[in-house]
Amino acid sequence: ETGVTQSPTHLIKTRGQQVTLRCSSQSGHNTVSWYQQALGQGPQFIFQYYREEENGRGNFPPRFSGLQFPNYSSELNVNALELDDSALYLCASSEQTLQETQYFGPGTRLLVL
Amino acid sequence: AQSVTQLDSQVPVFEEAPVELRCNYSSSVSVYLFWYVQYPNQGLQLLLKYLSGSTLVESINGFEAEFNKSQTSFHLRKPSVHISDTAEYFCAVRGSGSARQLTFGSGTQLTVLP
């Protein structure tokens, strides 16, 4: 059984650029959730995808968007990057049941200059 | 909506001493509760969870947490800590309804001193 993987591990961008982060879910999981963790804070929910549809969204602007593919892997896209977007971006996969448990990947650390 | 409060941002403790990391939550619906651990420059690892049944849950590395509905708490305890337990610990809650996201506390940095 493979765990959750994310790519790239680190990324440096400049303000105004666009970025795409990738996540492969754990075997058998059909749901992917994305979280943003700023330095020194707990993770904040961005959105969740289930069977290729957005299934809930946190308090993030529309320039944060996502996709889920038929193999349940997922992308997080951020347009018009701002300095405050610098953070660790975490992907979590789960099986959508009432008692689902989310398992996290190692994260992508994004630095916006 | 749910919220989580971790009252202690930093907890230093000597090796082999007991430790308690406090977590309180608020929610208008029934909840599921989780503790995750984050080592430096890594993602989150699930430590333990309360979904239903016994209110006392245990992890494989000696941590335990007790769900207390009347006090809306889910404190994490370990009777004897090791240097390797040094990490950031996050308490998280998820409502039992259709909203699937985890709401996290701000974390507690546990530092085990020799």
Side-chain angles (χ1 to χ4, degrees), chain A residues 35 37 40-45 48 55-57 88 90 96-107 109, chain B residues 32 34 36 38 41-46 49 51-52 90 94-98 100-107:
Chain A
Y35 294 81
Q37 185 181 17
Q41 298 182 24
Q44 300 288 319
F45 175 72
Q48 184 182 84
N55 185 41
R57 188 179 183 93
L88 181 67
L90 295 164
Q96 185 141 125
T97 63
L98 279 177
Q99 296 190 341
E100 72 178 74
T101 299
Q102 295 183 14
Y103 295 91
F104 284 80
R109 188 163 297 282
Chain B
Y32 302 125
F34 306 83
Y36 286 87
Q38 186 174 39
N41 300 313
Q42 294 188 25
L44 302 176
Q45 297 178 25
L46 179 67
K49 60 186 177 183
L51 300 177
S52 64
F90 290 95
R94 181 170 75 79
S96 59
S98 59
R100 299 287 182 178
Q101 67 264 29
L102 292 170
T103 299
F104 285 86
S106 54

Side-chain angles (χ1 to χ4, degrees), chain A residues 43-111:
Chain A
Q44 300 288 319
F45 175 72
I46 302 175
F47 44 57
Q48 184 182 84
Y49 278 83
Y50 169 62
R51 291 186 176 179
E52 303 177 58
E53 298 283 334
E54 190 178 284
N55 185 41
R57 188 179 183 93
N59 189 27
F60 280 81
R63 60 189 184 86
F64 286 78
S65 63
L67 283 173
Q68 188 180 31
F69 300 99
N71 67 354
Y72 303 128
S73 65
S74 176
E75 287 183 354
L76 164 65
N77 299 289
V78 187
N79 294 321
L81 284 167
E82 302 176 359
L83 296 180
D84 285 348
D85 295 333
S86 295
L88 181 67
Y89 288 86
L90 295 164
C91 164
S93 78
S94 57
E95 185 178 358
Q96 185 141 125
T97 63
L98 279 177
Q99 296 190 341
E100 72 178 74
T101 299
Q102 295 183 14
Y103 295 91
F104 284 80
T108 294
R109 188 163 297 282
L110 172 64
L111 177 62

Side-chain angles (χ1 to χ4, degrees), chain A residues 12-18 80-83 110-113:
Chain A
I12 300 175
K13 292 285 188 178
T14 57
R15 273 187 308 173
Q17 285 189 309
Q18 178 265 344
L81 284 167
E82 302 176 359
L83 296 180
L110 172 64
L111 177 62
V112 182
L113 301 176

